[in-house]
Amino acid sequence: MNNYKKINKVCLLILIFLINPALLSAAPKTKVLIPKNANTPISIMISEKSLKYYPLSDKESLVLTTRGPGKLKIITRGDINSQDEKRLSYNVYYRINGAEKIKVEFNGVKPDNKASFEDQSLGLPSVRENIIIELSRGENTIELWSGAENFKIITRTLFTEIKEKKIDWISLSPMYPNEPVSLVTYEDVVSYYRFSSAKPLKVKITGPTTLRVLNRVEFDYRMKGKLNYRIEVKEDKKVKNTYMLCADHSDITKYKKDGKRTPGKANEIVISVPSGTHTYEIITLDKCSVLGRILFPKKDIKLEAF
């Protein structure tokens, strides 16, 4: 009889999953982002669990990077100096990919009776106040600042992946440079275009649409380790975004003809193109050359401006 009941339960579960296949899909992954320039973290105890937070400065930004698309949750807390201080107000500034600095105000924030600093000399942590940001596809750079010089604000940042809709992408040839560099991955040959601080990658496109810029920093064959580099995007000669990127040597991609260099692993940035015709210039802000490949949605092929 017991075996019969077990078989019925198994059959019922199989039927549920067949009716709703979404139940079989993996739950969204959430991870904690560690700042690239983090100082000593501050630990907060909650239900006997220690969580690391990172202090903000009003001068130097706290820098985090992650690959989207996904949802960013910036958890902020203030440091309440004593039991006599009932509420506090503070500001946090953030910037995504070098765009405009955005101010977020928190007012009347209470102490958190369920949390405490591991180092009790620090005072009392306030309750959590969150900033939620949707991040686009590709590499994203997040910068955070405190709004006051003499007030301690700490943050903990979580990122949850979002499954994006399937899009057919096709290659877009730039206006400049017009001499491709052939890279080989396994047996596939793909054309990239070399750009630098002096020689931008330039493209003209009519929006609204989206541009994906796959980019690989170039290594001399003698170089070892990872390389940090920055890419700046100008829209109609005005700076639109700046990205802080990092790459290692690619293990599977090689030059078709150049034996003195090694391409880096691919990073990706995404440019949102507004309505109208726009010219984009993409440069590196460092003394290195980068290979770029531009893709845009196949459905927008009618928008190609040249």
Side-chain angles (χ1 to χ4, degrees), residues 32-35 37-44 51-57 60-64 72-79 90-94 106 117 125-131 142-147 151-158:
V32 178
L33 299 186
I34 307 300
N37 58 338
N39 292 318
T40 304
I42 294 173
S43 296
I44 288 183
L51 300 177
K52 291 181 179 179
Y53 282 70
Y54 296 89
L56 297 184
S57 165
E60 182 183 358
S61 65
L62 194 69
V63 180
L64 307 104
L72 193 73
K73 183 178 183 180
I74 304 168
I75 304 168
T76 75
R77 292 179 185 265
D79 182 2
Y90 61 89
N91 302 326
V92 172
Y93 292 87
Y94 73 86
F106 299 106
F117 288 112
S126 71
V127 296
R128 302 188 310 173
E129 295 290 347
N130 301 331
I131 303 170
I142 306 101
E143 297 175 89
L144 302 172
W145 293 266
S146 165
F151 189 80
K152 184 173 286 185
I153 301 169
I154 56 176
T155 62
R156 177 178 171 85
T157 305
L158 307 179

Side-chain angles (χ1 to χ4, degrees), residues 160-213:
T160 304
E161 297 176 357
I162 294 176
K163 188 175 182 180
E164 60 186 334
K165 295 178 181 178
K166 186 176 180 180
I167 299 175
D168 289 328
W169 300 89
I170 58 174
S171 180
L172 179 65
S173 298
M175 300 165 62
Y176 180 87
N178 49 25
E179 294 182 5
V181 176
S182 296
L183 296 183
V184 181
T185 303
Y186 299 118
E187 295 182 358
D188 295 328
V189 180
V190 178
S191 293
Y192 279 73
Y193 295 86
R194 182 176 287 117
F195 65 95
S196 63
S197 57
K199 298 179 180 179
L201 185 68
K202 187 179 292 188
V203 63
K204 192 175 185 181
I205 189 75
T206 300
T209 188
T210 301
L211 298 179
R212 289 174 60 195
V213 183

Side-chain angles (χ1 to χ4, degrees), residues 31 65-70 136-140 159 161 266-268:
K31 62 180 180 180
T65 59
T66 190
R67 174 172 285 195
S136 64
R137 178 188 178 121
E139 306 297 331
N140 290 278
F159 176 75
E161 297 176 357
N267 281 317
E268 178 183 343

Side-chain angles (χ1 to χ4, degrees), residues 77-274:
R77 292 179 185 265
D79 182 2
I80 298 176
N81 293 324
S82 68
Q83 293 280 5
D84 297 330
E85 193 174 354
K86 301 297 182 182
R87 295 173 184 265
L88 56 85
S89 298
Y90 61 89
N91 302 326
V92 172
Y93 292 87
Y94 73 86
R95 181 165 64 193
I96 308 296
N97 297 328
E100 183 182 355
K101 218 176 190 182
I102 296 173
K103 178 181 179 181
V104 182
E105 298 181 6
F106 299 106
N107 296 304
V109 184
K110 300 178 181 178
D112 190 342
N113 296 324
K114 297 179 180 180
S116 62
F117 288 112
E118 198 169 90
D119 180 355
Q120 295 184 3
S121 67
L122 293 176
L124 302 169
S126 71
V127 296
R128 302 188 310 173
E129 295 290 347
N130 301 331
I131 303 170
I132 306 297
I133 305 167
E134 296 278 348
L135 294 180
S136 64
R137 178 188 178 121
E139 306 297 331
N140 290 278
T141 302
I142 306 101
E143 297 175 89
L144 302 172
W145 293 266
S146 165
E149 181 178 358
N150 299 317
F151 189 80
K152 184 173 286 185
I153 301 169
I154 56 176
T155 62
R156 177 178 171 85
T157 305
L158 307 179
F159 176 75
T160 304
E161 297 176 357
I162 294 176
K163 188 175 182 180
E164 60 186 334
K165 295 178 181 178
K166 186 176 180 180
I167 299 175
D168 289 328
W169 300 89
I170 58 174
S171 180
L172 179 65
S173 298
M175 300 165 62
Y176 180 87
N178 49 25
E179 294 182 5
V181 176
S182 296
L183 296 183
V184 181
T185 303
Y186 299 118
E187 295 182 358
D188 295 328
V189 180
V190 178
S191 293
Y192 279 73
Y193 295 86
R194 182 176 287 117
F195 65 95
S196 63
S197 57
K199 298 179 180 179
L201 185 68
K202 187 179 292 188
V203 63
K204 192 175 185 181
I205 189 75
T206 300
T209 188
T210 301
L211 298 179
R212 289 174 60 195
V213 183
L214 307 181
N215 60 90
R216 297 175 181 269
V217 68
E218 295 192 287
F219 290 86
D220 184 277
Y221 74 96
R222 294 166 294 186
M223 294 175 65
K224 296 181 179 180
K226 296 182 179 181
L227 187 62
N228 295 311
Y229 63 106
R230 295 167 297 162
I231 285 181
E232 181 180 85
V233 177
K234 290 183 179 180
E235 180 182 82
D236 302 324
K237 298 184 178 181
K238 294 182 179 179
V239 175
K240 182 180 178 73
N241 292 112
T242 304
Y243 300 85
M244 301 178 190
L245 306 173
C246 180
D248 206 342
H249 299 251
S250 176
D251 298 322
I252 59 173
T253 301
K254 309 294 180 185
Y255 291 90
K256 187 177 181 181
K257 294 183 178 179
D258 191 342
K260 294 184 178 181
R261 283 185 276 204
T262 303
K265 292 181 179 179
N267 281 317
E268 178 183 343
I269 62 175
V270 174
I271 304 170
S272 297
V273 181

